[in-house]
Amino acid sequence: MQNDPLSGVLDLIEVRGVMSNGFAVDGPWIARGALDHPLKFIGVVRGQATVTADGHEEELLLDAGDVAILSHRSWLAVRGGPAGEDPVDIDVTRAGFVSLGEDGVDVVLGGHIDLNPLGRDLLAHTLPPVGVVRASEPGVPLRDRLVRLYTEVSGDRVGSAFAVRQHGQLLLLDLLRLSIHQTDLPPGWLRVLTDERLRPAVALIHQAPEKPWRVETLARAAAMSRTSFATLFRAAAGTPPLTYLNRWRILLAQRALRTGDERIGAIASTLGYASESAFSTAFKRGVGESPLRYRNRVRGDHPRP
């Protein structure tokens, strides 16, 4: 398998799961309310629906198989059914599920994609406020995926919680893949990870972050001059290559401190720092607190003497 830094980042941000609900209704309907999760999704299994949200008041039409993902929105409204009649208000917190064999109903799924704090920070500047993954996009099996997700959520089958988490990861991956082809993709980690010209150099950084990489070495891996490489990298990532390397090291350190019991000196050595002191200085500069304080805070530990 080819080196795939994007997969490594997706592992790092730990897509933990999708808490889903859904409803099926015949006739005009509306579901609306405040959002309490930074990454919300709405998928139409059957029928059509329109979505509006703060910052995107123009109605966005979703056909069967389409998914809208809302990033850091505070409210949304979803409506469907024939026009001209007063819609029924749907309470999604109490809605149930029906069999897909029933005719004449709109079937809609909603939920949120749960990420760790690193994932929320990374995606905050990557995803649009309201993004859509269309079932009509070639190579994106959204319609089948939504039907399978609906089957898992509504059927109360053995292992359904695990299956729902996997489908949630794939929904996020679909949106990221489609975002790659946007011409106005902002500088950041998604853009630099998917730039084919930079991929050999980025792969080196992600494979061996502990090595003392030099810009000249990374430029040779990308078959570019030092100046051309540095210019292109900064335009794609928003930061110089060695700043990106340091940021990647700190992200890996945060995961190690959050999930493991390895000593701070050992983490520093694994990530290529000359000393624990050098690592602590770099970590505090990037995160705003020392490694020990960070570990205690995120794990709820009492400060150690």
Side-chain angles (χ1 to χ4, degrees):
M1 181 179 294
Q2 292 183 329
N3 297 326
D4 185 7
L6 179 57
S7 292
V9 171
L10 291 176
D11 287 337
L12 182 70
I13 67 178
E14 296 174 354
V15 180
R16 299 180 188 175
V18 178
M19 303 299 296
S20 295
N21 52 33
F23 58 88
V25 60
D26 188 9
W29 56 270
I30 184 170
R32 53 195 164 187
L35 300 179
D36 54 1
H37 293 281
L39 205 58
K40 176 78 176 178
F41 81 87
I42 300 292
V44 177
V45 183
R46 172 186 288 165
Q48 287 185 327
T50 60
V51 175
T52 56
D54 55 310
H56 199 285
E57 282 76 15
E58 182 180 351
E59 288 191 340
L60 181 66
L61 178 64
L62 301 180
D63 290 313
D66 293 348
V67 178
I69 299 186
L70 297 86
S71 176
H72 294 80
R73 301 297 90 195
S74 61
W75 63 265
L76 89 162
V78 189
R79 66 174 68 232
E85 302 178 34
D86 291 335
V88 174
D89 275 297
I90 302 295
D91 182 354
V92 295
T93 64
R94 302 179 62 181
F97 299 92
V98 298
S99 167
L100 286 177
E102 296 186 19
D103 296 326
V105 296
D106 293 327
V107 181
V108 178
L109 283 178
H112 70 270
I113 300 172
D114 191 15
L115 306 170
N116 65 23
L118 299 183
R120 290 193 291 271
D121 290 343
L122 287 172
L123 291 181
H125 304 293
T126 299
L127 296 177
V130 180
V132 181
V133 184
R134 298 287 183 188
S136 58
E137 292 285 347
V140 181
L142 271 186
R143 195 183 305 273
D144 291 342
R145 188 165 293 152
L146 279 175
V147 170
R148 292 185 65 183
L149 179 57
Y150 178 87
T151 300
E152 295 293 346
V153 172
S154 62
D156 195 24
R157 304 165 68 187
V158 173
S160 60
F162 177 82
V164 166
R165 287 195 297 270
Q166 306 312 304
H167 288 301
Q169 290 177 316
L170 293 174
L171 281 174
L172 178 58
L173 178 59
D174 285 335
L175 184 64
L176 293 178
R177 282 173 167 168
L178 292 173
S179 296
I180 291 167
H181 303 295
Q182 295 179 3
T183 57
D184 58 348
L185 192 66
W189 69 274
L190 181 59
R191 182 168 162 184
V192 75
L193 288 177
T194 55
D195 190 311
E196 289 299 325
R197 298 164 295 178
L198 297 173
R199 186 168 182 171
V202 173
L204 291 179
I205 291 174
H206 282 251
Q207 287 170 7
E210 75 284 358
K211 290 190 176 181
W213 294 111
R214 297 172 59 86
V215 176
E216 293 84 353
T217 308
L218 296 172
R220 282 197 298 271
M224 297 182 193
S225 70
R226 185 189 190 283
T227 301
S228 296
F229 172 76
T231 301
L232 178 61
F233 195 102
R234 183 161 193 154
T239 61
L242 299 187
T243 302
Y244 179 90
L245 167 62
N246 291 330
R247 177 57 177 155
W248 179 240
R249 287 174 171 175
I250 296 303
L251 289 173
L252 294 175
Q254 287 177 277
R255 178 172 63 180
L257 290 165
R258 190 177 65 253
T259 62
D261 295 316
E262 198 173 8
R263 295 179 63 86
I264 292 174
I267 295 174
S269 177
T270 299
L271 293 176
Y273 290 93
S275 66
E276 182 176 332
S277 175
F279 166 63
S280 296
T281 299
F283 189 92
K284 188 170 184 178
R285 185 185 304 118
V287 179
E289 58 187 337
S290 70
L292 181 58
R293 184 175 293 277
Y294 175 84
R295 170 177 269 169
N296 290 332
R297 178 175 61 80
V298 299
R299 296 173 59 162
D301 297 338
H302 295 293
R304 301 172 189 172

